[in-house]
Amino acid sequence: DAGVIQSPRHEVTEMGQEVTLRCKPISGHDYLFWYRQTMMRGLELLIYFNNNVPIDDSGMPEDRFSAKMPNASFSTLKIQPSEPRDSAVYFCASSLERRGTEAFFGQGTRLTVV
Amino acid sequence: RKEVEQDPGPFNVPEGATVAFNCTYSNSASQSFFWYRQDCRKEPKLLMSVYSSGNEDGRFTAQLNRASQYISLLIRDSKLSDSATYLCVVNKAGTDKLIFGTGTRLQVFP
């Protein structure tokens, strides 16, 4: 398996533009997580899905952020409109079982909003 | 109080040294604990799980102290390749969430 695949790897956009980040989890994994990493705050969990259903989105910073998982092999994280403070590395991760099992991370999307 | 707290470091140690990191967590009901490693500009990867009885993997030893709510990672005979950020990870009690500490940076020098 190729692991968790994220695209794009890098994104530079202007403030106010819509940004869509994509993730393909490892086949057969039941859980998908979206994290954001910054120097100041570290890795923050934004939202996670179980069997394509959003379970907890309490980490989503505000209404400008939304996430979907239309099927077991694809998820998106959308920011509309984007702001400079959204600049960060966004990671997608998936895991096979609940608790006690490691999460496998994608390589991340480095987002810069200017 | 943060759910998971770590000393950010950096810890600068010579090759061959022994170094230890601690991490504290706030929720006594947490069930699962891990150490992840993150290299510069890379994704986090699992280093090892932490079991109640403590566990060892080569030069790495992880321990859990539930009474004091902390976990530790000991690295013996440090290698240059051990230079990285080490992330303490705790499963949030009653959920499937993994909560990450902000990481401890280790730099091993020749």
Side-chain angles (χ1 to χ4, degrees):
Chain A
D1 199 315
V4 177
I5 300 173
Q6 290 186 247
S7 65
R9 291 290 308 279
H10 302 274
E11 176 81 36
V12 180
T13 190
E14 291 186 347
M15 183 174 64
Q17 296 298 306
E18 177 180 296
V19 175
T20 299
L21 311 181
R22 297 173 175 78
C23 175
K24 181 182 187 314
I26 294 173
S27 177
H29 280 195
D30 303 316
Y31 285 81
L32 184 140
F33 306 86
W34 281 101
Y35 285 88
R36 176 172 70 176
Q37 187 173 39
T38 60
M39 288 290 292
M40 293 297 295
R41 301 168 72 106
L43 265 167
E44 302 173 279
L45 179 63
L46 301 177
I47 184 172
Y48 76 96
F49 296 82
N50 177 214
N51 292 323
N52 313 340
V53 176
I55 303 299
D56 187 333
D57 65 354
S58 59
M60 296 285 259
E62 48 198 272
D63 291 346
R64 297 184 297 106
F65 286 68
S66 63
K68 294 182 180 179
M69 192 165 185
N71 57 62
S73 60
F74 184 65
S75 177
T76 60
L77 178 69
K78 186 176 292 186
I79 308 172
Q80 165 64 18
S82 57
E83 296 182 4
R85 61 192 167 121
D86 301 331
S87 298
V89 181
Y90 291 81
F91 287 105
C92 174
S94 68
S95 68
L96 185 58
E97 300 172 15
R98 61 188 298 163
R99 307 175 203 177
T101 302
E102 70 178 293
F104 293 81
F105 282 76
Q107 292 182 300
T109 296
R110 186 171 295 274
L111 174 65
T112 302
V113 183
V114 298
Chain B
R1 183 185 173 188
K2 288 184 180 179
E3 292 182 88
V4 180
E5 293 201 69
Q6 294 182 252
D7 180 344
F11 285 62
N12 296 306
V13 303
E15 276 186 288
T18 295
V19 62
F21 311 134
N22 285 337
C23 161
T24 58
Y25 60 95
S26 61
N27 193 322
S28 60
S30 298
Q31 294 292 324
S32 303
F33 308 89
F34 308 90
W35 283 102
Y36 274 67
R37 170 191 169 132
Q38 186 173 25
D39 293 297
C40 188
R41 301 181 78 86
K42 298 286 189 181
E43 72 274 22
K45 293 184 180 179
L46 180 70
L47 177 66
M48 58 196 303
S49 301
V50 185
Y51 302 120
S52 297
S53 55
N55 48 298
E56 190 173 303
D57 183 1
R59 298 181 293 109
F60 299 84
T61 301
Q63 291 194 312
L64 169 64
N65 185 319
R66 285 191 183 274
S68 301
Q69 293 179 213
Y70 78 82
I71 66 175
S72 64
L73 177 68
L74 181 78
I75 306 175
R76 290 181 299 278
D77 189 23
S78 299
K79 311 292 184 190
L80 295 175
S81 58
D82 294 334
S83 298
T85 296
Y86 291 84
L87 301 164
C88 172
V89 186
V90 176
N91 160 244
K92 187 176 178 74
T95 78
D96 303 312
K97 295 181 181 182
L98 292 180
I99 307 300
F100 284 73
T102 52
T104 297
R105 191 167 152 232
L106 171 66
Q107 184 67 48
V108 181
F109 58 87

